[in-house]
Amino acid sequence: MEGNNYFGQRDTAFSHSAKNTSKNHPDVYLILLDGYANNKSLDKYYKYDNTAFTDSLKKLGFYFVKNSRSNYPFTVQTVSSMLNLDYLKPTQKNVPREFLEYIYNNKVVSLYEDYGYSIHNLSAFHFKNYHSKYVLKFFINKSSFAFFLLSKCIIYDIINKGEKGEGVTRELNILKGVNFLVKNENSTTPKFVYAHLLLTHSPFYLNDKYKVDKTIYAESPSLTGILPLVDDDTTNNTLGSSRIDSTNSINYINHVRFTNIKALELCSKLTKRNSIVILLSDHGSRMLSNPISNYEAVKERYMNFCAIYYPDGKYNHLYDSITPVNVIRQVLNKSLGTKFSNLEDKSGLEVR
């Protein structure tokens, strides 16, 4: 990664000659909630008040980023940028194979490795030396053109071979894996854990009792969130023709509420340990269309969720508009003692 020219090399924080592998380093849990919109988006566009969830997180000691926004509207862009601590080149568009390669060889995992952390990859991506059993085949393909074609002809790989409801099983298995790590922690070796949950990503098939409803599943827009932005023009704030024609807000909110329950169950355990917890989404819901204006719909795609927990409760370097690329920089400083400075917080689309 040090030799690539895709990300800027503006920091000297990597130049550490002596790495402190003390057992006092905290565990770090990155829990990525794919497509989970922030409170402002949920309230404005879905008429859903999510403050009970965020208040519960604050009671657990979390710092809630109330004006959060993502740097990019795509999962692979956000994750690639975040795990490599820098912005992507502005000339890159859509989802080229390079994004997956940079996620595979990312700097964050390399740093935690250098500091003696054990790496636990429960994400949607493979990392070098740490493949994920939960990887999406959608994110393995190395061909950009094939990637685009897949986006047009499959429902979404979280349903694994098209079996209805299996996406819920996948997410619950990931949560079981994280809970196993929490329960069986090794105090002599700190952990970096990346769990990537797609409970708030389409298709949406949970009813208000959080049970798989095949009727709801059949009606859920099949292409919601699967590269519907491929021909968006963010320069002119216009939506491409591939976007969905209607929202499925009730089903989406069922998934938000279910995710809240599971997230609080997990976070209540993690906050009792020497663990840093990053509860973060990669982008907004990305489901707005007519009669919402083009600008509003594009803007919502950047309205992500973010809450962070530090064991010592000292959040003096965090702020209410921090974006993912700087969240990870600050977490590295907190957990490893590195000295990354913040980049300018910005998004692919200027959010006014």
Side-chain angles (χ1 to χ4, degrees):
M1 284 300 295
E2 292 299 318
N4 80 70
N5 60 3
Y6 198 71
F7 296 91
Q9 302 295 326
R10 21 183 153 195
D11 292 290
T12 58
F14 287 105
S15 303
H16 43 271
S17 56
K19 302 176 180 65
N20 180 3
T21 56
S22 166
K23 66 180 181 180
N24 292 325
H25 281 307
D27 293 337
V28 178
Y29 287 82
L30 170 58
I31 311 298
L32 195 142
L33 308 177
D34 202 306
Y36 190 111
N38 66 21
N39 282 18
K40 290 185 176 180
S41 173
L42 291 173
D43 180 61
K44 181 174 182 178
Y45 301 115
Y46 296 92
K47 309 304 178 186
Y48 181 73
D49 184 354
N50 202 34
T51 54
F53 174 60
T54 50
D55 284 348
S56 295
L57 288 175
K58 286 188 277 190
K59 287 180 182 177
L60 289 173
F62 275 79
Y63 179 89
F64 171 53
V65 182
K66 61 183 179 181
N67 295 314
S68 62
R69 60 184 170 101
S70 63
N71 304 112
Y72 299 96
F74 285 118
T75 299
V76 289
Q77 289 176 322
T78 297
V79 174
S80 183
S81 169
M82 180 174 64
L83 293 183
N84 287 287
L85 310 171
D86 206 346
Y87 290 106
L88 308 173
K89 284 185 177 179
T91 55
Q92 288 291 341
K93 295 181 179 180
N94 301 332
V95 190
R97 65 178 181 273
E98 285 86 356
F99 292 166
L100 302 178
E101 292 170 359
Y102 292 129
I103 292 172
Y104 184 80
N105 295 292
N106 73 81
K107 293 177 179 177
V108 168
V109 166
S110 179
L111 267 175
Y112 279 116
E113 257 188 328
D114 287 348
Y115 276 81
Y117 274 66
S118 62
I119 308 298
H120 302 270
N121 183 11
L122 290 79
S123 80
F125 306 96
H126 285 324
F127 299 155
K128 183 179 180 180
N129 300 323
Y130 304 99
H131 283 205
S132 171
K133 65 185 292 186
Y134 305 105
V135 70
L136 301 182
K137 293 187 293 295
F138 195 65
F139 291 147
I140 294 176
N141 196 290
K142 296 299 182 182
S143 165
S144 298
F145 180 67
F147 198 106
F148 172 80
L149 289 179
L150 278 171
S151 76
K152 297 296 184 182
C153 65
I154 65 174
I155 293 179
Y156 192 55
D157 200 49
I158 65 170
I159 58 174
N160 238 347
K161 300 180 181 178
E163 294 179 18
K164 290 183 171 76
E166 193 169 332
V168 172
T169 301
R170 174 192 180 275
E171 310 316 306
L172 294 182
N173 283 338
I174 290 175
L175 287 169
K176 286 180 182 178
V178 177
N179 277 292
F180 177 83
L181 292 172
V182 174
K183 183 178 179 181
N184 297 277
E185 63 178 8
N186 182 348
S187 60
T188 63
T189 304
K191 298 186 291 291
F192 173 72
V193 181
Y194 173 18
H196 192 127
L197 300 172
L198 294 117
L199 286 170
T200 45
H201 199 301
S202 66
F204 306 115
Y205 35 66
L206 294 181
N207 60 26
D208 57 3
K209 304 297 183 185
Y210 313 128
K211 302 295 183 182
V212 173
D213 185 320
K214 294 183 179 180
T215 302
I216 290 178
Y217 177 89
E219 294 174 352
S220 184
S222 62
L223 287 179
T224 306
I226 311 174
L227 296 186
L229 331 178
V230 73
D231 55 352
D232 281 359
D233 183 350
T234 54
T235 302
N236 296 314
N237 300 337
T238 59
L239 299 176
S241 59
S242 302
R243 71 187 186 278
I244 62 171
D245 294 321
S246 62
T247 63
N248 201 335
S249 60
I250 294 176
N251 298 348
Y252 177 68
I253 294 303
N254 289 344
H255 282 247
V256 168
R257 292 168 59 199
F258 183 69
T259 301
N260 290 354
I261 293 170
K262 295 301 178 182
L264 286 175
E265 287 175 356
L266 177 60
C267 290
S268 64
K269 298 174 185 176
L270 290 174
T271 53
K272 295 176 182 177
R273 291 162 170 78
N274 184 30
S275 301
I276 289 175
V277 185
I278 311 160
L279 203 60
L280 177 75
S281 65
D282 46 353
H283 49 70
S285 71
R286 302 193 320 194
M287 293 199 302
L288 304 185
S289 59
N290 296 329
I292 303 297
S293 69
N294 281 344
Y295 178 77
E296 285 290 299
V298 174
K299 177 181 176 180
E300 193 279 337
R301 290 170 175 168
Y302 294 84
M303 297 177 72
N304 78 319
F305 181 90
C306 184
I308 303 160
Y309 175 81
Y310 289 163
D312 65 5
K314 297 178 180 179
Y315 300 108
N316 49 305
H317 293 292
L318 301 180
Y319 47 96
D320 284 340
S321 58
I322 192 169
T323 59
V325 70
N326 285 324
V327 167
I328 299 302
R329 285 170 163 255
Q330 288 303 322
V331 167
L332 284 168
N333 292 347
K334 191 74 171 181
S335 57
L336 303 181
T338 51
K339 299 185 183 300
F340 287 103
S341 58
N342 281 344
L343 305 179
E344 178 187 357
D345 286 297
K346 56 185 180 180
S347 297
L349 168 71
E350 181 184 359
V351 178
R352 287 178 277 188

